[in-house]
Amino acid sequence: MEIGIDSFASAMYGSNELNSVDAMEQLLDRIAFADEVGLDVFGIGEHHKKEFLDSATAVILAAAAARTKRIKLTSAVTVLSAADPVRVYQSFATLDLISKGRAEMVVGRGSSIEAYPLFGFSLNDYDALFKEKLDLLLKVRDNEFVTWSGRFRAPLADLPVYPRALQPKLPVWLGVGGTPESFARAGTLGLPLMVAVIGGETHRFRPLVDHYREAGRRAGFSPEQLKVGLHSPGYVAATNEQAIADYYPGYVELWTKLGKERGWPPVTKAQFDSVSAPKGVLVLGGPEQVAEKLRRHSEALGGVDRFTFQMDNAGLTHAQLMSSIELIGKKVIPLVNGN
């Protein structure tokens, strides 16, 4: 199993707002450290909000590429529905050249909707936009000269797209939430699947993952081509007790704030205990407990090829995040993979 981190480039540690320059410097330090201690992948999300600095994902990843040697660098996710697929490919092909073949992208429709009005798109076209733009992105990735036409963008008539990525087939993962149609789409296209599970119990996604694998099999793809990734909130500390003490206050603050925005009730300790229980989505604890939970999640989903922690949105300090990254690299990864 590949194990890594996804970040939203938060400019906040709990209620404490950071200077944006300092926040970006610390993020790049974390990516460089993740590379140093053996993590496999680091992803940067995409938001267009004051509290996050990740609106230009490829720029951050390019800066990270210059400071790293082996770690894979990916988006998490690129909001493809509100972007130009040609420019998305060009940005990540350039990143692939800078990183010498370490660029990837996870594309999706996005769980936050602020990109749609910002770039002049209607939420009424939510699925149609994504379907069309994914089709164009894959054509651009697979062909130097592109002929294409669609509803939301001017057509291309045998036009070249440069630069080309160093990797012959730049990895494009499909980021999904919980709709059967999204899982089937990824399988039919033979794209690796990144499942974002942020609440409840991970095993409930097994029927959808099976749906993905069956759709891929019917489309003629081998099991080896149908990779499954899992993205969930989590944090590793020296002990289980320390992990809870560090993580719980910021978790409650974050989800209570989101609840006010989206009409949910405040988070309770019972809810936290449920998501951090053995079958719960929150991958939280000391290295041994976290490793065991990752193995359990993988078994529940019929095998997981990649897991990424989302842990910089729970009020944790830079020092706490650095310590967690070190524990993941030096203890969790060897425990999970038997190294």
Side-chain angles (χ1 to χ4, degrees):
M1 185 191 301
E2 292 183 324
I3 298 176
I5 303 288
D6 286 337
S7 172
F8 295 163
S10 176
M12 304 281 288
Y13 291 145
S15 301
N16 301 311
E17 187 170 355
L18 279 179
N19 175 290
S20 296
V21 173
D22 292 340
M24 189 64 73
E25 181 179 12
Q26 290 175 6
L27 172 61
L28 292 172
D29 285 346
R30 292 197 292 273
I31 302 174
F33 189 55
D35 182 55
E36 180 184 327
V37 299
L39 273 66
D40 298 296
V41 59
F42 207 108
I44 301 294
E46 180 190 336
H47 297 82
H48 303 270
K49 298 180 177 181
K50 181 180 180 181
E51 61 265 35
F52 301 121
L53 301 174
D54 59 349
S55 64
T57 305
V59 177
I60 298 174
L61 294 173
R67 296 184 54 180
T68 55
K69 300 295 184 184
R70 51 162 297 278
I71 197 167
K72 295 176 182 178
L73 301 167
T74 183
S75 59
V77 302
T78 294
V79 184
L80 188 61
S81 303
D84 182 341
V86 175
R87 292 297 284 161
V88 169
Y89 175 80
Q90 289 174 322
S91 294
F92 281 85
T94 303
L95 172 64
D96 204 44
L97 298 175
I98 294 170
S99 66
K100 298 180 174 63
R102 294 184 283 127
E104 299 189 359
M105 66 179 88
V106 181
V107 300
R109 292 173 291 188
S111 59
S112 298
I113 62 173
E114 71 275 359
Y116 290 82
L118 184 63
F119 296 108
F121 296 102
S122 171
L123 284 169
N124 293 330
D125 300 318
Y126 188 72
D127 191 62
L129 277 165
F130 183 72
K131 182 178 180 180
E132 178 176 301
K133 292 191 175 193
L134 179 61
D135 177 63
L136 177 54
L137 176 65
L138 296 178
K139 280 188 168 57
V140 170
R141 179 193 68 169
D142 296 340
N143 301 277
E144 183 177 344
F145 287 79
V146 181
T147 297
W148 178 91
S149 63
R151 174 182 163 197
F152 299 103
R153 188 196 189 282
L156 300 173
D158 197 33
L159 292 177
V161 177
Y162 301 116
R164 306 306 300 175
L166 178 62
Q167 298 175 83
K169 205 173 186 74
L170 184 70
V172 175
W173 296 64
L174 190 61
V176 298
T179 65
E181 295 79 10
S182 296
F183 284 78
R185 176 185 291 148
T188 300
L189 294 171
L191 296 177
L193 182 77
M194 180 56 70
V195 187
V197 183
I198 60 173
E201 296 183 339
T202 300
H203 71 270
R204 66 191 173 91
F205 280 80
R206 177 62 183 267
L208 292 170
V209 172
D210 288 345
H211 190 45
Y212 159 72
R213 290 180 171 128
E214 177 58 22
R217 185 195 65 79
R218 291 197 305 267
F221 296 100
S222 68
E224 293 74 24
Q225 292 174 287
L226 301 171
K227 294 182 179 180
V228 174
L230 177 62
H231 159 104
S232 292
Y235 172 68
V236 186
T239 66
N240 299 336
E241 295 75 17
Q242 188 62 54
I244 293 170
D246 290 348
Y247 196 86
Y248 177 70
Y251 177 90
V252 171
E253 181 179 345
L254 169 71
W255 287 99
T256 298
K257 177 183 176 183
L258 288 175
K260 289 180 180 179
E261 297 172 357
R262 303 182 185 185
W264 305 334
V267 174
T268 66
K269 183 61 164 60
Q271 289 171 324
F272 177 82
D273 291 342
S274 175
V275 294
S276 57
K279 292 184 178 180
V281 63
L282 190 56
V283 183
L284 178 70
E288 293 78 12
Q289 178 165 304
V290 165
E292 176 58 30
K293 195 160 194 177
L294 290 180
R295 288 192 292 264
R296 189 182 301 115
H297 281 346
S298 181
E299 182 179 350
L301 296 181
V304 168
D305 299 283
R306 174 179 293 179
F307 178 82
T308 53
F309 289 86
Q310 166 54 22
M311 61 183 184
D312 68 351
N313 60 353
L316 298 165
T317 67
H318 176 61
Q320 288 171 324
L321 293 170
M322 289 286 275
S323 176
S324 189
I325 289 169
E326 184 172 21
L327 289 168
I328 292 168
K330 294 186 177 180
K331 293 193 175 183
V332 174
I333 290 177
L335 286 168
V336 171
N337 294 325
N339 298 332

